[in-house]
Amino acid sequence: MAAPVLILQEIDSTNAEARRRAEAGEFGPLWIGAKRQTAGRGRRGRAWETDTGNLAQTLLITLDTSPLEASQLTFVSALAVYDLVARYVPPSLVTIKWPNDVLLDGRKVSGILLESGPLGPGKLWLAVGIGVNLKVAPQGTERPATAIADHLSAERLAPPSFEEGAQALAETFDHWLDVWNAQGFDAVRQAWVDRTPGLFGPCVARLTHETIEGTADGVEADGSLRMRLADGTMRLISAGDVFFGVGG
Ligand code: BTN
């Protein structure tokens, strides 16, 4: 059954709230949604603006796994957001970009940020933070953004409300979490690969201390990206901003 959803009017960041609750002894599972974030966090230290009507929510859960295994939920999250977006727009417009950006007509429609902390031997808390542009595409973003409202299917007159989107995300996430629990990461990885074009071809990876150009060569069993550089060496990328269809 999907985890309960708590909707707040305003918070600094739903991920920060999940961390506070975890550190105060709360285990979840609980979705924490907020209609406004005053200090929303993005990947690589960037800010994440949540415009009015867009979705911002974080799942707080406790897992009996290693941090490495818990990071597989980044792929579970991407599949959940993919299914959420595809409920409201023509599904052929929805794709995933490695590792977890869901794109709508080639533009970023969501962001996913996982944070975790220890809870004793073999146990951790995980905050799965997800932002989805339901109504408004934010302006001035580093990469082109869009919103569900701009691509609605013919039978939809309006994008989902915050409440509807929040519940729908809890359901789609629950589905893929069940797949992960029952069938293992391979089943998740395969479903993710099927929805992720561009895994073979030229790409540029912007990493913490360097930017490298090469050719993407699929993903490893753990989901890290294989990238062949011009000198023939193979690099495995587990985190970073990767731009497909350029470089090589
Ligand atoms: C990205 O940079 O692409 C990740 C953005 C993640 C944003 C979401 S919104 C809900 C949750 N709370 C946060 O402060 N960040 C995440």
Side-chain angles (χ1 to χ4, degrees):
M1 208 175 59
V5 179
L6 169 72
I7 298 179
L8 307 170
Q9 289 305 313
E10 183 178 298
I11 195 86
D12 50 355
S13 147
T14 54
N15 269 32
E17 177 63 10
R19 171 183 290 271
R20 285 191 289 269
R21 286 173 180 248
E23 289 176 350
E26 215 172 299
F27 295 117
L30 175 69
W31 281 102
I32 305 160
K35 294 194 171 176
R36 199 170 109 78
Q37 295 191 112
T38 54
R41 307 207 277 247
R43 286 202 304 260
R44 297 161 71 81
R46 290 187 281 244
W48 180 268
E49 301 293 334
T50 304
D51 291 276
T52 309
N54 287 346
L55 191 63
Q57 66 178 16
T58 297
L59 175 66
L60 168 62
I61 42 170
T62 304
L63 297 170
D64 294 318
T65 57
S66 65
L68 193 66
E69 216 177 319
S71 70
Q72 295 172 355
L73 290 195
T74 196
F75 298 91
V76 167
S77 310
L79 288 165
V81 174
Y82 178 102
D83 282 359
L84 166 75
V85 176
R87 279 191 187 192
Y88 304 106
V89 308
S92 61
L93 294 180
V94 192
T95 52
I96 301 176
K97 180 174 106 41
W98 184 92
N100 63 14
D101 277 338
V102 175
L103 306 184
L104 176 50
D105 202 18
R107 292 164 173 248
K108 193 166 154 85
V109 69
S110 73
I112 296 172
L113 178 67
L114 267 61
E115 297 177 288
S116 66
L119 270 184
K123 232 177 159 63
L124 52 81
W125 60 264
L126 187 69
V128 181
I130 298 177
V132 184
N133 303 333
L134 302 178
K135 286 209 171 112
V136 189
Q139 300 296 304
T141 50
E142 199 178 358
R143 272 178 281 156
T146 191
I148 287 176
D150 300 333
H151 301 274
L152 290 174
S153 305
E155 68 277 11
R156 293 280 318 185
L157 295 175
S161 64
F162 187 99
E163 287 76 6
E164 182 187 342
Q167 189 54 42
L169 180 59
E171 288 164 13
T172 58
F173 193 95
D174 186 56
H175 165 73
W176 287 108
L177 192 62
D178 278 353
V179 173
W180 186 67
N181 279 319
Q183 298 172 42
F185 181 57
D186 261 2
V188 168
R189 181 182 163 281
Q190 192 51 55
W192 174 90
V193 166
D194 292 345
R195 292 158 179 76
T196 309
L199 287 174
F200 296 86
C203 70
V204 172
R206 203 158 68 200
L207 310 176
T208 312
H209 299 296
E210 57 179 335
T211 295
I212 52 177
E213 277 191 29
T215 307
D217 192 20
V219 289
E220 288 284 289
D222 67 356
S224 49
L225 182 72
R226 281 196 293 265
M227 199 171 155
R228 190 172 293 287
L229 308 190
D231 65 4
T233 53
M234 187 69 93
R235 290 278 295 267
L236 294 184
I237 315 292
S238 55
D241 281 337
V242 181
F243 302 86
F244 294 90
V246 291

